[in-house]
Amino acid sequence: MAPATARVLSCTMGWPLLPLRALLSLAFLALLPAAAAGSKLNCHRTCICASNIVSCSKMNLTSIPKALPEYTAVLDLSYNSIARLRAEWTTVKLPKMSNLLLSHNGMSFISSEAFLYVTQLHYLDLSSNSLQQLDELLFEPLTQLEVLLLYNNQISQIDRSAFSGLRSLQKLYLSQNKLARFPLELVKEKTRLPKLGLFDVSYNRIKSLPIQELKLLPAWIKNGLYFHNNPFACDCALYSLLAHWHIRRLSSAVDFKDDYTCTLPGPQKTTVNVFELNGDYMNCSAVKEADEEVYLDQTLTLRCDSRHRDMVKTWVTPNHEIVTSATSNQSVTLLANGSLQIGPARVEHSGLYTCYAVSETLNETLYVSVKVHNATLQAGNDTLNTAYTTLVGCLASVVLVLIYLYLTPCRCPCCPRNGKAKSQNEDSIHSSTLSATPTHDALGSKAGLSRHVAFVEPSKDLQGQNGKVNPNAEDEQERKRARGQRKRSDAESISSVFSDTPIVV
């Protein structure tokens, strides 16, 4: 080998190789932090960036790209494979982000701290994932959120505080899940989301509804309350609720009229439309427009229950008088919320009241029929009490008659022997009467009556000669009793003197 060639190999295999290894090591160490932190945003290959919009849809991502620009307003991560939304998906605040789309990712977990850095969200799409439950205070940081999409998941459990803090939420979509209970707390007075105007729980597993509570909701909430295509049991109360909503032309009942179904009672489990229950299926009573009844001197409040929340309302009385805040009087007053207060009620207040609700996009007319009874409430109660007292008196009379007929004391035919002997020896008016029949026993056995006919004859002791009464006979009897010669009277003795006229005892 030539000396020149040996020197070249020596330079290649010797110390010049050390700097090469160092460079490779430094390059490897430089890549480690990037791998640990996740892939960085690449607006040319990973995502599409258009001004403040970052679209990473359908990029087969398993995690959210890092280093998102702070000016991002819309982030679309739909149709990927992001199974978990962790707390550290972004390590910096994104104050301008208003829309976050995470649908169609198969997502099954969301951290309770996942939204701490995106508190300005107005629109959040978590639909078409695999979420099974919503934990407590999950969406609490999102005080500006207006639309929340959770449809087409597997949600079966919702913590009562999951939606706490969503004071700006207007639309909530929970359809196509596995809910078995209607979340009344989201729409009920004092616990509802204050601005919620559309609430969709259709296509779930809800079998019954809180009918009475739903009736009390304002019309602007009922207008956007959707619960069609649930396995309801047929009931006239359900029919009455939906039929009244349909009369009021509420969107939830009109738009999906054919999708409100229920199951008839019975082994066949027949499914019918709820609006057909007033026919041959269950013969439910027909539903009419709102009717109000009141007694004299009471106060009645008529609600102008419009389908939109903020509308200008004007009332017209049955006498065609227009009632506004300026024309209110002592008996008819327009309240601040648009309701009409009538009181103290008079008979002339009866009739049909009309409310005109007007806004920039909608004109609505409502009718309320009022009937004032020509009596006070106290008088009505007195009439009820009188009728009740009369009924109780009649029942008591019937009971007494039955007792008299069937539970009277035993007569002589059924009395014990010793009682009979004792009664025969007692000195009484009964023992001193002579019956026309042989004995009382014979009379009782023949007729079974408690009345006896007796002929009263003068006592032998009281008679003188020729059948006249001896005036001294009574004193003589008293002396005999005093001497103890006679303690009891005989059965044939007579203690009183009357004519032979029959006496009924």
Side-chain angles (χ1 to χ4, degrees):
M1 181 180 296
T5 304
R7 284 194 298 270
V8 171
L9 288 177
S10 175
C11 292
T12 305
M13 301 298 295
W15 64 269
L17 295 179
L18 293 176
L20 181 61
R21 293 194 185 98
L23 290 174
L24 292 175
S25 299
L26 290 174
F28 178 75
L29 292 175
L31 292 174
L32 284 178
S39 60
K40 289 180 179 284
L41 177 65
N42 188 333
C43 286
H44 301 286
R45 299 182 59 183
T46 306
C47 302
I48 299 175
C49 302
S51 184
N52 58 355
I53 299 176
V54 178
S55 177
C56 307
S57 179
K58 299 181 180 179
M59 295 295 180
N60 296 322
L61 299 178
T62 57
S63 62
I64 300 175
K66 298 297 181 180
L68 293 170
E70 293 185 1
Y71 57 79
T72 303
V74 179
L75 177 60
D76 185 1
L77 296 166
S78 60
Y79 293 94
N80 282 288
S81 300
I82 305 172
R84 303 171 70 85
L85 186 62
R86 303 179 183 276
E88 62 275 7
W89 69 271
T90 176
T91 56
V92 296
K93 290 186 177 181
L94 302 173
K96 296 184 179 180
M97 183 176 290
S98 60
N99 291 35
L100 177 59
L101 291 76
L102 287 164
S103 63
H104 297 276
N105 272 281
M107 187 178 299
S108 59
F109 171 79
I110 299 178
S111 172
S112 58
E113 300 177 354
F115 305 108
L116 290 178
Y117 289 160
V118 287
T119 57
Q120 300 301 313
L121 282 180
H122 291 265
Y123 183 94
L124 177 59
D125 186 0
L126 295 169
S127 63
S128 300
N129 281 294
S130 301
L131 299 175
Q132 298 182 3
Q133 64 182 28
L134 302 178
D135 297 330
E136 58 181 351
L137 305 176
L138 180 61
F139 303 106
E140 185 182 29
L142 304 179
T143 57
Q144 304 299 318
L145 191 65
E146 297 177 357
V147 180
L148 177 56
L149 281 65
L150 289 165
Y151 64 85
N152 194 26
N153 276 278
Q154 300 177 19
I155 300 172
S156 59
Q157 297 181 4
I158 299 178
D159 188 88
R160 290 183 178 272
S161 64
F163 300 104
S164 296
L166 298 180
R167 57 175 180 262
S168 301
L169 191 65
Q170 300 176 14
K171 299 179 181 180
L172 176 57
Y173 298 86
L174 278 167
S175 60
Q176 301 182 56
N177 279 285
K178 297 181 179 180
L179 297 177
R181 182 187 68 87
F182 182 86
L184 180 64
E185 63 275 4
L186 298 180
V187 295
K188 188 178 180 181
E189 185 69 29
K190 296 182 180 180
T191 61
R192 70 180 179 217
L193 300 175
K195 293 187 178 181
L196 187 63
L198 190 152
F199 182 39
D200 186 1
V201 288
S202 59
Y203 293 93
N204 275 278
R205 300 179 179 180
I206 303 173
K207 295 183 178 181
S208 62
L209 293 171
I211 300 293
Q212 297 303 321
E213 288 80 359
L214 294 180
K215 285 183 177 180
L216 300 177
L217 296 178
W220 64 269
I221 290 182
K222 294 186 286 190
N223 187 60
L225 188 57
Y226 299 91
F227 47 82
H228 52 277
N229 285 107
N230 274 282
F232 297 124
C234 290
D235 183 75
C236 286
L238 177 63
Y239 163 76
S240 177
L241 177 74
L242 289 173
H244 185 261
W245 290 15
H246 192 271
I247 291 176
R248 292 292 316 278
R249 307 302 297 172
L250 301 182
S251 300
S252 55
V254 174
D255 296 344
F256 296 92
K257 181 179 179 180
D258 296 334
D259 294 321
Y260 285 100
T261 58
C262 62
T263 304
L264 292 172
Q268 297 181 351
K269 304 296 183 181
T270 304
T271 300
V272 298
N273 190 281
V274 174
F275 290 92
E276 298 177 359
L277 294 181
N278 63 330
D280 298 333
Y281 292 115
M282 297 190 72
N283 196 24
C284 297
S285 301
V287 177
K288 300 180 180 179
E289 189 61 46
D291 294 331
E292 298 287 349
E293 295 185 6
V294 68
Y295 288 93
L296 291 176
D297 298 329
Q298 284 189 314
T299 300
L300 177 65
T301 301
L302 307 181
R303 293 194 308 164
C304 188
D305 203 10
S306 59
R307 286 178 287 173
H308 285 203
R309 188 173 188 178
D310 299 320
M311 303 185 74
V312 178
K313 300 173 182 178
T314 304
W315 284 89
V316 177
T317 67
N319 297 328
H320 306 290
E321 297 177 357
I322 299 176
V323 181
T324 61
S325 57
T327 60
S328 299
N329 53 50
Q330 293 182 351
S331 60
V332 180
T333 305
L334 182 63
L335 303 180
N337 61 357
S339 299
L340 188 69
Q341 180 175 293
I342 303 173
R346 295 289 180 264
V347 176
E348 55 268 22
H349 288 146
S350 299
L352 186 65
Y353 289 77
T354 307
C355 176
Y356 297 98
V358 181
S359 68
E360 296 180 356
T361 59
L362 177 67
N363 293 336
E364 188 175 1
T365 304
L366 305 177
Y367 301 95
V368 181
S369 177
V370 175
K371 179 180 180 182
V372 180
H373 296 280
N374 193 14
T376 61
L377 181 60
Q378 184 64 33
N381 291 336
D382 292 342
T383 303
L384 180 62
N385 292 336
T386 302
Y388 178 76
T389 304
T390 303
L391 177 61
V392 172
C394 293
L395 293 176
S397 301
V398 172
V399 172
L400 291 176
V401 169
L402 294 176
I403 292 175
Y404 176 77
L405 292 176
Y406 296 103
L407 298 178
T408 54
C410 284
R411 298 300 178 185
C412 291
C414 60
C415 294
R417 293 290 181 182
N418 53 359
K420 186 188 297 182
K422 182 178 181 181
S423 63
Q424 290 178 354
N425 295 329
E426 289 181 351
D427 188 10
S428 64
I429 183 66
H430 298 288
S431 63
S432 62
T433 57
L434 296 177
S435 175
T437 55
T439 61
H440 291 284
D441 293 341
L443 181 62
S445 61
K446 291 180 180 179
L449 299 175
S450 60
R451 295 182 294 178
H452 306 281
V453 180
F455 295 93
V456 181
E457 296 181 358
S459 173
K460 293 182 180 180
D461 296 332
L462 299 177
Q463 290 179 351
Q465 295 178 352
N466 298 326
K468 296 181 179 181
V469 177
N470 185 2
N472 298 324
E474 186 174 356
D475 295 337
E476 185 178 356
Q477 286 182 355
E478 294 295 332
R479 289 193 296 271
K480 288 181 180 180
R481 291 190 184 96
R483 291 194 301 268
Q485 294 179 357
R486 181 178 180 182
K487 295 182 179 179
R488 296 182 181 274
S489 61
D490 295 19
E492 292 89 10
S493 67
I494 306 300
S495 62
S496 60
V497 180
F498 296 98
S499 65
D500 293 339
T501 307
I503 298 177
V504 179
V505 181

